[in-house]
Amino acid sequence: MITLEQVEKTYASGEGPVQALGGVSFALGEGECWGIVGPSGAGKSTLLRLMALLEEPTRGRVVLDGVCFAQSSPREKRRARQQIATVFQDCRLLSRRTVAQNAALPLQMQRLPRQEIARRVEESLWQAGIAHKAGAYPAQLSGGQRQRAAIARALAQKPRLLLCDEPTSALDPQSAGEILELLRQINEGGVTMAVI
Ligand code: ADP
């Protein structure tokens, strides 16, 4: 589904260029789930941002469904990005919006019809096991519940590829186990996944 070919990423910094990735190649097939493991600073988050098509490599190619992302038109790029959702360690929920409103936000930005948004949000909240907190604000939730809300927001986008950047590292062991089990179920449901 997504292929990285000899991908390099170098950032400019005050102390000169920093090479975050040097010559990474792999292919993530439809329906697969890959774990990305490495010490802090190894380039894991950079790799995920490239896979999310949020950044482009300094060298090499990121290819989604056989199409090189860098050579796509702006419209094709937008479409490609809409197939990918990311879940972060710190959830990144908006504090003044409820769980359901947070899940609806990316869909509102895509200008989907209201009924479609309502249907998708309801479905994704059930799937992520957080439907009973649809009207709650992030501050009223436990860490595990917040991560479920973030996963619901990702699922509402109906992604083909779900990227998870250390989704359990801020959680207690029990919640972490439950979130990993939820991610496993989502992958078994056919969503391709990469998890740091
Ligand atoms: P990891 O997720 O494995 O901890 P990162 O991908 O965050 O690693 O970072 C890899 C390297 O790239 C680090 O040396 C980091 O300082 C550097 N880096 C990451 N993003 C930037 C950036 N936007 N600007 C400059 N350097 C960066």
Side-chain angles (χ1 to χ4, degrees):
M1 180 185 180
I2 190 163
T3 307
L4 274 71
E5 298 172 2
Q6 287 298 320
V7 163
E8 293 181 27
K9 184 71 185 179
T10 303
Y11 294 106
S13 81
E15 291 110 48
V18 178
Q19 189 179 50
L21 292 173
V24 176
S25 299
F26 66 84
L28 178 61
E30 193 90 46
E32 288 183 341
C33 178
W34 278 43
I36 300 168
V37 184
S40 178
K44 305 179 298 296
S45 298
T46 303
L47 187 63
L48 224 63
R49 285 196 298 276
L50 292 172
M51 292 173 75
L53 312 176
L54 297 173
E55 286 183 20
E56 292 186 25
T58 314
R59 284 218 184 108
R61 300 187 338 141
V62 178
V63 178
L64 183 72
D65 296 324
V67 178
C68 176
F69 180 69
Q71 287 162 5
S72 305
S73 67
R75 191 176 167 184
E76 286 168 338
K77 284 185 178 179
R78 236 182 357 261
R79 282 224 180 120
R81 286 195 184 104
Q82 283 174 0
Q83 300 182 44
I84 303 170
T86 308
V87 173
F88 299 93
Q89 175 185 335
D90 55 3
C91 302
R92 303 192 185 180
L93 298 168
L94 295 182
S95 60
R96 289 172 180 273
R97 284 184 156 240
T98 64
V99 168
Q101 288 166 347
N102 267 285
L105 190 60
L107 310 182
Q108 289 165 343
M109 287 165 70
Q110 284 178 36
R111 300 184 186 282
L112 292 184
R114 267 187 177 204
Q115 283 180 338
E116 167 83 3
I117 293 176
R119 196 178 54 72
R120 283 207 204 179
V121 167
E122 191 184 349
E123 205 176 285
S124 70
L125 293 185
W126 275 107
Q127 201 181 346
I130 194 71
H132 61 300
K133 294 286 182 185
Y137 290 89
Q140 298 169 320
L141 303 177
S142 70
Q145 288 170 336
R146 274 199 287 275
Q147 197 53 288
R148 283 179 188 274
I151 291 170
R153 177 180 56 192
L155 292 177
Q157 296 167 61
K158 293 198 180 293
R160 289 177 56 222
L161 175 61
L162 181 62
L163 304 172
C164 304
D165 193 346
E166 302 197 36
T168 62
S169 53
L171 302 178
D172 62 87
Q174 186 179 334
S175 306
E178 289 169 8
I179 292 296
L180 288 177
E181 173 59 21
L182 172 62
L183 293 175
R184 195 182 61 76
Q185 287 167 11
I186 292 167
N187 175 239
E188 281 181 354
V191 179
T192 308
M193 220 180 266
V195 183
I196 296 182

